[in-house]
Amino acid sequence: MTTTELPSCRFLEEMVSVLIVVPCGTVRIHIAQGVGHCAIREAHDVPFTSASRMISKLHTARATNSFEMQIAKLIDCDLLIINDFGLKPFTGIQDEDFHEVISECYERRSTIVTSNLDVPEWPDAFPNRILGSATIDRLRQGAYKIVLAGMNYWTAADKPG
């Protein structure tokens, strides 16, 4: 699948993930948001969150005994978009929470995950290597991987010209 095919939302029917991997400063968030917008126009429910915000909300939910309700909000959708995976490595129970979300979506919902890290670097985000491996396996199974190369937008904007 290419970036031009993503707006068709065919991957939603297949219930698979789309992994968007790009260097820092490129347009991964815009691609994910654009695909999300296309899915919304087709009447799909599409929450969008960063990985760190999702984990923070789940942590708060644990403290208030609303963890199951918060998980349900994330997975009771057609497409979950998680931006900036691996930007901040997980600590403590965070990798378990991320695994829980991915496991609940696996083969039942589609997920878009964006990252500046290439997929072989993803295990570095997990303190528990076995749990990380299981989570990544679920994300990669049948997934479409979009790898973009490009110039850093922010660096290019700073150049005189």
Side-chain angles (χ1 to χ4, degrees):
M1 180 170 287
T2 66
T3 54
T4 57
E5 294 172 301
L6 282 174
S8 73
C9 296
R10 182 184 76 212
F11 65 94
L12 288 172
E13 295 167 14
E14 299 172 35
M15 291 186 237
V16 296
S17 298
V18 175
L19 313 177
I20 302 174
V21 179
V22 297
C24 286
T26 52
V27 294
R28 73 191 178 287
I29 190 170
H30 302 297
I31 294 169
Q33 287 175 334
V35 174
H37 180 74
C38 290
I40 289 168
R41 290 180 64 187
E42 292 182 8
H44 294 288
D45 184 27
V46 185
F48 179 95
T49 185
S50 69
S52 61
R53 183 167 174 82
M54 180 180 77
I55 294 302
S56 177
K57 282 186 172 186
L58 290 171
H59 178 74
T60 301
R62 277 189 189 281
T64 60
N65 290 326
S66 59
F67 184 79
E68 294 301 322
M69 186 172 69
Q70 186 64 38
I71 286 280
K73 283 182 186 178
L74 290 167
I75 64 170
D76 189 24
C77 62
D78 301 311
L79 171 62
L80 174 61
I81 301 175
I82 304 170
N83 189 44
D84 285 335
F85 171 78
L87 187 62
K88 297 178 186 177
F90 297 129
T91 59
I93 199 166
Q94 292 176 338
D95 60 353
E96 292 178 30
D97 290 346
F98 189 80
H99 177 79
E100 182 76 20
V101 171
I102 298 306
S103 291
E104 289 296 321
C105 290
Y106 179 62
E107 294 184 334
R108 289 178 268 198
R109 304 280 186 266
S110 292
T111 307
I112 292 178
V113 178
T114 74
S115 183
N116 294 126
L117 300 174
D118 197 4
V119 175
E121 299 173 297
W122 286 15
D124 296 339
F126 294 87
N128 180 332
R129 295 290 198 203
I130 295 171
L131 188 63
S133 179
T135 306
I136 293 165
D137 283 349
R138 283 171 177 80
L139 279 170
R140 291 180 67 188
Q141 180 67 37
Y144 294 102
K145 183 178 173 186
I146 308 292
V147 180
L148 301 174
M151 186 171 60
N152 183 316
Y153 172 78
W154 304 112
T155 302
D158 292 339
K159 291 182 181 177

